[in-house]
Structures are given as C-alpha cells and as structure tokens.
Tab-separated table of all heavy atoms in Angstrom:
chain	number	residue	atom	x	y	z
G	30	ASP	N	0.826	-1.203	0.000
G	30	ASP	CA	0.000	0.000	0.000
G	30	ASP	C	0.865	1.261	0.000
G	30	ASP	O	2.056	1.215	0.304
G	30	ASP	CB	-1.014	0.002	1.148
G	30	ASP	CG	-0.411	0.074	2.536
G	30	ASP	OD1	0.825	0.112	2.691
G	30	ASP	OD2	-1.193	0.091	3.509
G	31	SER	N	0.229	2.371	-0.372
G	31	SER	CA	0.905	3.662	-0.482
G	31	SER	C	-0.119	4.763	-0.264
G	31	SER	O	-1.275	4.626	-0.661
G	31	SER	CB	1.524	3.796	-1.880
G	31	SER	OG	1.882	5.127	-2.179
G	32	ALA	N	0.306	5.852	0.321
G	32	ALA	CA	-0.592	6.990	0.555
G	32	ALA	C	-0.917	7.742	-0.736
G	32	ALA	O	-2.021	8.260	-0.898
G	32	ALA	CB	0.018	7.948	1.576
G	33	ASP	N	0.046	7.802	-1.676
G	33	ASP	CA	-0.166	8.596	-2.887
G	33	ASP	C	-0.183	7.790	-4.183
G	33	ASP	O	-0.383	8.349	-5.260
G	33	ASP	CB	0.866	9.714	-2.987
G	33	ASP	CG	2.297	9.216	-3.127
G	33	ASP	OD1	2.508	7.994	-3.351
G	33	ASP	OD2	3.220	10.043	-3.009
G	34	GLY	N	0.041	6.487	-4.119
G	34	GLY	CA	-0.004	5.641	-5.299
G	34	GLY	C	1.244	5.665	-6.160
G	34	GLY	O	1.275	5.028	-7.213
G	35	SER	N	2.294	6.377	-5.706
G	35	SER	CA	3.517	6.393	-6.501
G	35	SER	C	4.791	6.234	-5.670
G	35	SER	O	5.805	5.789	-6.193
G	35	SER	CB	3.604	7.675	-7.350
G	35	SER	OG	3.605	8.811	-6.517
G	36	THR	N	4.739	6.576	-4.400
G	36	THR	CA	5.919	6.468	-3.546
G	36	THR	C	5.536	5.840	-2.208
G	36	THR	O	4.363	5.724	-1.872
G	36	THR	CB	6.548	7.855	-3.268
G	36	THR	OG1	5.589	8.660	-2.570
G	36	THR	CG2	6.974	8.544	-4.551
G	37	GLY	N	6.564	5.447	-1.446
G	37	GLY	CA	6.340	4.947	-0.100
G	37	GLY	C	5.614	3.624	-0.019
G	37	GLY	O	4.917	3.343	0.957
G	38	TRP	N	5.777	2.762	-1.024
G	38	TRP	CA	5.100	1.465	-1.024
G	38	TRP	C	5.637	0.605	0.107
G	38	TRP	O	6.849	0.544	0.330
G	38	TRP	CB	5.296	0.753	-2.352
G	38	TRP	CG	4.549	1.410	-3.475
G	38	TRP	CD1	5.075	2.239	-4.422
G	38	TRP	CD2	3.159	1.303	-3.752
G	38	TRP	NE1	4.083	2.652	-5.278
G	38	TRP	CE2	2.897	2.095	-4.896
G	38	TRP	CE3	2.098	0.631	-3.156
G	38	TRP	CZ2	1.630	2.221	-5.453
G	38	TRP	CZ3	0.834	0.754	-3.712
G	38	TRP	CH2	0.601	1.544	-4.838
G	39	ALA	N	4.734	-0.061	0.840
G	39	ALA	CA	5.116	-0.951	1.942
G	39	ALA	C	4.223	-2.180	1.920
G	39	ALA	O	3.051	-2.110	1.511
G	39	ALA	CB	4.983	-0.231	3.279
G	40	ASP	N	4.771	-3.312	2.351
G	40	ASP	CA	3.999	-4.547	2.408
G	40	ASP	C	2.844	-4.415	3.394
G	40	ASP	O	3.014	-3.866	4.479
G	40	ASP	CB	4.886	-5.713	2.847
G	40	ASP	CG	5.993	-6.020	1.854
G	40	ASP	OD1	5.983	-5.458	0.734
G	40	ASP	OD2	6.873	-6.822	2.201
G	41	VAL	N	1.671	-4.910	3.011
G	41	VAL	CA	0.511	-4.956	3.898
G	41	VAL	C	0.638	-6.226	4.731
G	41	VAL	O	0.797	-7.326	4.188
G	41	VAL	CB	-0.809	-4.952	3.088
G	41	VAL	CG1	-2.003	-5.156	4.003
G	41	VAL	CG2	-0.942	-3.658	2.284
G	42	SER	N	0.572	-6.082	6.037
G	42	SER	CA	0.711	-7.223	6.946
G	42	SER	C	-0.326	-8.302	6.637
G	42	SER	O	-1.523	-8.024	6.525
G	42	SER	CB	0.556	-6.740	8.389
G	42	SER	OG	0.655	-7.821	9.278
G	43	GLY	N	0.144	-9.536	6.474
G	43	GLY	CA	-0.749	-10.663	6.225
G	43	GLY	C	-1.293	-10.747	4.811
G	43	GLY	O	-2.157	-11.571	4.531
G	44	ALA	N	-0.806	-9.905	3.898
G	44	ALA	CA	-1.342	-9.874	2.535
G	44	ALA	C	-0.369	-10.496	1.540
G	44	ALA	O	0.053	-9.876	0.570
G	44	ALA	CB	-1.682	-8.441	2.143
G	45	THR	N	-0.023	-11.753	1.802
G	45	THR	CA	0.870	-12.503	0.928
G	45	THR	C	0.192	-13.808	0.538
G	45	THR	O	-0.274	-14.547	1.404
G	45	THR	CB	2.206	-12.805	1.646
G	45	THR	OG1	2.800	-11.571	2.050
G	45	THR	CG2	3.157	-13.559	0.738
G	46	PHE	N	0.126	-14.073	-0.760
G	46	PHE	CA	-0.431	-15.321	-1.242
G	46	PHE	C	0.572	-16.448	-1.003
G	46	PHE	O	1.775	-16.210	-0.914
G	46	PHE	CB	-0.729	-15.230	-2.746
G	46	PHE	CG	-1.850	-14.287	-3.086
G	46	PHE	CD1	-1.586	-12.980	-3.476
G	46	PHE	CD2	-3.170	-14.702	-3.028
G	46	PHE	CE1	-2.616	-12.110	-3.811
G	46	PHE	CE2	-4.207	-13.838	-3.353
G	46	PHE	CZ	-3.921	-12.544	-3.743
G	47	THR	N	0.073	-17.678	-0.930
G	47	THR	CA	0.943	-18.850	-0.840
G	47	THR	C	1.763	-18.947	-2.117
G	47	THR	O	1.244	-18.710	-3.216
G	47	THR	CB	0.089	-20.124	-0.661
G	47	THR	OG1	-0.669	-19.992	0.553
G	47	THR	CG2	0.949	-21.363	-0.593
G	48	GLN	N	3.044	-19.274	-1.977
G	48	GLN	CA	3.934	-19.362	-3.130
G	48	GLN	C	3.378	-20.327	-4.179
G	48	GLN	O	2.921	-21.420	-3.857
G	48	GLN	CB	5.325	-19.818	-2.700
G	48	GLN	CG	6.336	-19.799	-3.833
G	48	GLN	CD	7.720	-20.202	-3.383
G	48	GLN	OE1	7.942	-21.362	-3.020
G	48	GLN	NE2	8.641	-19.244	-3.386
G	49	VAL	N	3.432	-19.916	-5.437
G	49	VAL	CA	2.988	-20.744	-6.556
G	49	VAL	C	4.223	-21.404	-7.166
G	49	VAL	O	5.254	-20.753	-7.339
G	49	VAL	CB	2.256	-19.897	-7.618
G	49	VAL	CG1	1.781	-20.767	-8.774
G	49	VAL	CG2	1.086	-19.141	-6.993
G	50	VAL	N	4.108	-22.703	-7.479
G	50	VAL	CA	5.227	-23.433	-8.085
G	50	VAL	C	4.756	-24.073	-9.388
G	50	VAL	O	4.261	-23.383	-10.254
G	50	VAL	CB	5.854	-24.440	-7.091
G	50	VAL	CG1	6.622	-23.701	-6.007
G	50	VAL	CG2	4.833	-25.348	-6.463
G	51	ALA	N	4.880	-25.357	-9.520
G	51	ALA	CA	4.553	-26.036	-10.779
G	51	ALA	C	3.143	-26.614	-10.777
G	51	ALA	O	2.910	-27.701	-11.281
G	51	ALA	CB	5.584	-27.119	-11.055
G	52	ALA	N	2.180	-25.907	-10.208
G	52	ALA	CA	0.787	-26.361	-10.195
G	52	ALA	C	-0.134	-25.157	-10.391
G	52	ALA	O	0.211	-24.028	-10.036
G	52	ALA	CB	0.459	-27.049	-8.871
G	53	VAL	N	-1.295	-25.406	-10.956
G	53	VAL	CA	-2.305	-24.366	-11.118
G	53	VAL	C	-2.696	-23.851	-9.735
G	53	VAL	O	-2.763	-24.618	-8.767
G	53	VAL	CB	-3.539	-24.940	-11.858
G	53	VAL	CG1	-4.682	-23.955	-11.871
G	53	VAL	CG2	-3.152	-25.362	-13.263
G	54	SER	N	-2.977	-22.550	-9.620
G	54	SER	CA	-3.312	-21.976	-8.321
G	54	SER	C	-4.451	-20.965	-8.447
G	54	SER	O	-4.464	-20.152	-9.377
G	54	SER	CB	-2.081	-21.281	-7.733
G	54	SER	OG	-2.368	-20.752	-6.465
G	55	LEU	N	-5.397	-21.043	-7.523
G	55	LEU	CA	-6.467	-20.055	-7.386
G	55	LEU	C	-6.567	-19.754	-5.901
G	55	LEU	O	-6.884	-20.644	-5.110
G	55	LEU	CB	-7.797	-20.590	-7.924
G	55	LEU	CG	-8.997	-19.653	-7.787
G	55	LEU	CD1	-8.768	-18.345	-8.536
G	55	LEU	CD2	-10.257	-20.340	-8.290
G	56	GLN	N	-6.255	-18.503	-5.538
G	56	GLN	CA	-6.215	-18.121	-4.122
G	56	GLN	C	-6.912	-16.790	-3.909
G	56	GLN	O	-6.999	-15.974	-4.834
G	56	GLN	CB	-4.764	-17.955	-3.663
G	56	GLN	CG	-3.863	-19.129	-3.881
G	56	GLN	CD	-2.441	-18.806	-3.453
G	56	GLN	OE1	-2.203	-18.274	-2.374
G	56	GLN	NE2	-1.485	-19.130	-4.311
G	57	SER	N	-7.341	-16.557	-2.670
G	57	SER	CA	-7.900	-15.252	-2.328
G	57	SER	C	-7.412	-14.827	-0.947
G	57	SER	O	-7.109	-15.671	-0.090
G	57	SER	CB	-9.425	-15.272	-2.370
G	57	SER	OG	-9.943	-16.080	-1.338
G	58	LEU	N	-7.318	-13.527	-0.771
G	58	LEU	CA	-6.963	-12.929	0.519
G	58	LEU	C	-8.080	-11.980	0.918
G	58	LEU	O	-8.578	-11.222	0.080
G	58	LEU	CB	-5.671	-12.104	0.404
G	58	LEU	CG	-4.382	-12.808	0.051
G	58	LEU	CD1	-3.282	-11.772	-0.183
G	58	LEU	CD2	-3.982	-13.763	1.159
G	59	SER	N	-8.464	-12.006	2.190
G	59	SER	CA	-9.413	-11.023	2.709
G	59	SER	C	-8.613	-9.882	3.319
G	59	SER	O	-7.711	-10.112	4.130
G	59	SER	CB	-10.309	-11.645	3.778
G	59	SER	OG	-11.132	-12.626	3.204
G	60	LEU	N	-8.934	-8.664	2.908
G	60	LEU	CA	-8.234	-7.478	3.396
G	60	LEU	C	-9.254	-6.469	3.908
G	60	LEU	O	-10.388	-6.434	3.435
G	60	LEU	CB	-7.419	-6.847	2.258
G	60	LEU	CG	-6.446	-7.775	1.522
G	60	LEU	CD1	-5.908	-7.087	0.276
G	60	LEU	CD2	-5.316	-8.187	2.442
G	61	ASN	N	-8.844	-5.626	4.836
G	61	ASN	CA	-9.722	-4.592	5.353
G	61	ASN	C	-9.187	-3.232	4.935
G	61	ASN	O	-8.081	-2.853	5.313
G	61	ASN	CB	-9.823	-4.678	6.878
G	61	ASN	CG	-10.906	-3.773	7.417
G	61	ASN	OD1	-11.236	-2.738	6.838
G	61	ASN	ND2	-11.470	-4.159	8.543
G	62	THR	N	-9.966	-2.494	4.157
G	62	THR	CA	-9.524	-1.197	3.652
G	62	THR	C	-9.270	-0.202	4.780
G	62	THR	O	-8.482	0.719	4.614
G	62	THR	CB	-10.559	-0.584	2.687
G	62	THR	OG1	-11.798	-0.384	3.375
G	62	THR	CG2	-10.760	-1.478	1.478
G	63	ARG	N	-9.897	-0.388	5.904
G	63	ARG	CA	-9.726	0.550	7.021
G	63	ARG	C	-8.326	0.479	7.624
G	63	ARG	O	-7.895	1.389	8.295
G	63	ARG	CB	-10.784	0.294	8.088
G	63	ARG	CG	-12.176	0.615	7.593
G	63	ARG	CD	-13.231	0.402	8.677
G	63	ARG	NE	-14.556	0.535	8.095
G	63	ARG	CZ	-15.374	-0.477	7.873
G	63	ARG	NH1	-15.034	-1.691	8.206
G	63	ARG	NH2	-16.546	-0.264	7.323
G	64	GLY	N	-7.621	-0.624	7.378
G	64	GLY	CA	-6.273	-0.779	7.918
G	64	GLY	C	-5.182	-0.494	6.907
G	64	GLY	O	-4.012	-0.745	7.173
C-alpha cells in the first residue's frame, strides 16, 4: 500500500499469497480497507 499511489510502497501485513510453483493456483486474501 501507499498513501499517494507512486511512492512509499510498503507490504501490507498478512497480505501474501501462498507461493505458486509447478501447479495451477487459485487463491484469495481477505483485506480490510480501514487498515
């Protein structure tokens, strides 16, 4: 996330998908915009 959409990008806590390797993958993450 970023405050202005161009600088200061930082990882959102808990917002990482499971690593994809040599198999098809369909995943979802629930995020809260308030945080």
Side-chain angles (χ1 to χ4, degrees):
D30 66 359
S31 164
D33 64 11
S35 60
T36 62
W38 290 101
D40 296 350
V41 174
S42 179
T45 302
F46 292 96
T47 300
Q48 186 178 68
V49 181
V50 289
V53 172
S54 182
L55 178 60
Q56 305 177 48
S57 68
L58 296 173
S59 294
L60 306 170
N61 190 332
T62 61
R63 294 182 188 107

